[in-house]
Amino acid sequence: QVQLVESGGDMVQPGGSLKLSCTASGFSLERPTKIGWFRQAPGKEREGVSCIGAGALPARYRDSVRGRFSISVDTAKNTAVLQMNNLKPEDTAVYYCAWAPGDGLLCSHDARDYDLWGQGTQVTVSS
């Protein structure tokens, strides 16, 4: 079965860290790939957080997380990772990973560009 499964969501205090994982099954992330991480807070639209494409193409981050979040893909584990440091209450949301086939272009923060989605994992930042 082709699917993405997120894990790692939790409740942490402001300033804390979390590592979100997105494990692919039924297909390999070694193939040309784009991975996007999105989040959706209650009452708000889904927004792109970070994305990464194949090869030398640079990763992208939304301004509010740049310098705090880091995206990577571990092909040996067939898993994409979003490392989140110095978390803030405004980072509270359900986080989703998404996949699209790599096309040699820069990855996108547009949800319409992704074909496969995980079920989401809750991140809560609160004191």
Side-chain angles (χ1 to χ4, degrees):
Q1 183 179 2
V2 173
Q3 62 179 355
L4 298 172
V5 178
E6 299 100 334
S7 61
D10 205 343
M11 177 181 288
V12 296
Q13 294 186 343
S17 296
L18 283 175
K19 177 182 176 181
L20 302 186
S21 296
C22 171
T23 300
S25 61
F27 69 104
S28 173
L29 294 182
E30 288 185 334
R31 60 189 292 185
T33 284
K34 293 181 181 180
I35 291 288
W37 283 96
F38 294 78
R39 66 187 180 188
Q40 188 165 19
K44 295 187 177 181
E45 294 187 353
R46 188 171 298 190
E47 61 184 19
V49 175
S50 180
C51 66
I52 190 169
L57 294 171
R60 297 180 64 188
Y61 300 91
R62 70 180 300 108
D63 289 345
S64 61
V65 308
R66 188 174 294 113
R68 300 188 296 122
F69 290 13
S70 177
I71 189 172
S72 61
V73 178
D74 185 340
T75 54
K77 296 181 178 180
N78 217 34
T79 297
V81 172
L82 185 68
Q83 178 66 46
M84 306 187 297
N85 299 325
N86 190 22
L87 283 160
K88 303 177 180 181
E90 52 265 40
D91 295 319
T92 295
V94 177
Y95 282 71
Y96 300 88
C97 66
W99 173 89
D103 57 6
L105 301 177
L106 197 62
C107 62
S108 164
H109 280 171
D110 187 337
R112 296 170 296 179
D113 290 341
Y114 293 85
D115 300 329
L116 182 66
W117 290 79
Q119 83 289 350
T121 186
Q122 176 70 47
V123 172
T124 303
V125 185
S126 175
S127 55

